């Protein structure tokens, strides 16, 4: 399937607004791939497909998580996080994507996880900072991301955790694992710098 065919199938699976977001994520992911020497093609494909599963029925998403023996913990948390692992599954089974790097970037784009690759971080942060995003600290997130993917991750994860906590929502464990990873990394980096 070429880029245009992929885009058309994605467009048909979501409202116009979400499709515009998808194009924004692709544009941003390609820019970040250039800055951080990652494959622009992989960034483009992962971005186009990242929210493909956003509008499938909860029942269907649940079935896929169970049948594919994904981490059952996903189901204990809000359905807002299901479209990421389910999206990775559909990218493989409906779009024929076999590249694990692309599938992982889709799989972890919402919650984050420990040990994220450069491509994973690019998709996570492109999703958070694409031009259509409009929340108070988004410009700060864009600047930090352009300077360092790891600092961008720390900022985005910290803000997301703070936001979810303010709403008294449960937070998926991988989000904390990811947050701590970057918090330690950056703290230790600072110690080295000043020693
Ligand atoms: O799909 P998008 O709207 O483009 O963005 P997204 O995939 O990052 O997910 C949307 C929401 O999921 C976001 O507002 C935060 C929410 N969310 C719910 N539970 C969790 C979570 N995000 C993280 N990182 N961890 C959670 O446990
Ligand atoms: Fe998403
Ligand atoms: Fe998204």
């Amino acid at each position: 399937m070429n880029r245009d065919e992929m885009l058309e199938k994605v467009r048909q699976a979501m409202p116009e607004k979400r499709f515009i977001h998808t194009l924004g994520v692709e544009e941003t992911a390609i820019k970040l791939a250039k800055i951080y020497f990652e494959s622009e093609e992989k960034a483009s494909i992962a971005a186009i497909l990242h929210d493909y599963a956003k509008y499938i029925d909860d029942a269907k998403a649940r079935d896929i998580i169970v049948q594919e023996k994904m981490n059952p913990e996903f189901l204990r948390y809000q359905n807002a996080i299901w479209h990421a692992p389910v999206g990775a599954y559909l990218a493989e089974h409906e779009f024929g994507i076999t590249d694990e790097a692309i599938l992982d970037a889709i799989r972890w784009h919402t919650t984050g996880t420990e040990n994220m690759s450069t491509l994973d971080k690019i998709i996570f942060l492109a999703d958070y900072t694409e031009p259509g995003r409009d929340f108070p600290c988004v410009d700060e997130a864009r600047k930090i991301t352009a300077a360092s993917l790891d600092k961008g991750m720390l900022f985005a994860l910290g803000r997301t955790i703070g936001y979810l906590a303010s709403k008294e929502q449960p937070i998926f464990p991988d989000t904390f694992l990811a947050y701590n990873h970057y918090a330690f990394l950056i703290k230790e980096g600072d110690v080295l710098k000043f020693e």
Side-chain angles (χ1 to χ4, degrees):
M1 204 182 279
N2 65 31
R3 179 175 176 277
D4 285 347
E5 288 165 338
M6 219 177 254
L7 275 176
E8 187 51 26
K9 187 169 161 69
V10 167
R11 192 179 67 76
Q12 283 172 17
M14 55 184 60
E16 177 79 7
K17 202 171 155 223
R18 176 68 45 183
F19 185 65
I20 292 167
H21 159 73
T22 297
L23 294 177
V25 176
E26 191 202 16
E27 180 194 320
T28 307
I30 289 172
K31 271 190 202 155
L32 291 174
K34 284 194 173 102
I35 301 179
Y36 293 109
F37 306 104
E38 185 44 86
S39 157
E40 290 171 45
E41 194 191 351
K42 289 186 195 202
S44 161
I45 295 169
I48 290 171
L49 299 180
H50 87 284
D51 274 343
Y52 176 71
K54 190 101 180 166
Y55 299 93
I56 75 166
D57 293 346
D58 280 353
K60 188 177 167 196
R62 193 180 281 278
D63 284 350
I64 291 172
I65 290 170
V66 173
Q67 276 161 24
E68 296 306 312
K69 300 189 169 50
M70 292 174 190
N71 183 355
E73 276 293 290
F74 277 116
L75 295 174
R76 283 186 66 213
Y77 291 80
Q78 45 277 30
N79 58 6
I81 69 172
W82 299 354
H83 72 283
V86 172
Y89 172 83
L90 296 177
E92 183 176 357
H93 294 271
E94 289 192 18
F95 292 82
I97 305 296
T98 54
D99 185 331
E100 282 297 330
I102 295 174
L103 299 177
D104 274 342
I106 299 169
R107 184 172 294 120
W108 300 114
H109 89 264
T110 302
T111 58
T113 190
E114 251 186 331
N115 302 321
M116 292 170 79
S117 69
T118 299
L119 186 67
D120 296 344
K121 296 178 209 175
I122 285 173
I123 298 303
F124 187 96
L125 289 168
D127 190 25
Y128 195 70
T129 62
E130 61 94 2
R133 289 287 198 213
D134 183 23
F135 50 87
C137 57
V138 69
D139 269 328
E140 202 180 346
R142 288 181 183 125
K143 279 196 202 110
I144 297 170
T145 299
S148 158
L149 284 180
D150 291 336
K151 288 184 179 166
M153 289 301 299
L154 181 64
F155 183 83
L157 288 159
R159 293 300 164 127
T160 301
I161 288 170
Y163 170 78
L164 291 166
S166 78
K167 304 252 171 214
E168 299 184 341
Q169 287 211 46
I171 298 170
F172 194 68
D174 289 54
T175 304
F176 286 121
L177 292 175
Y179 172 83
N180 284 338
H181 174 81
Y182 297 107
F184 281 122
L185 191 72
I186 285 153
K187 208 168 124 212
E188 281 156 13
D190 284 347
V191 168
L192 289 177
K193 230 186 328 191
F194 293 118
E195 260 170 6

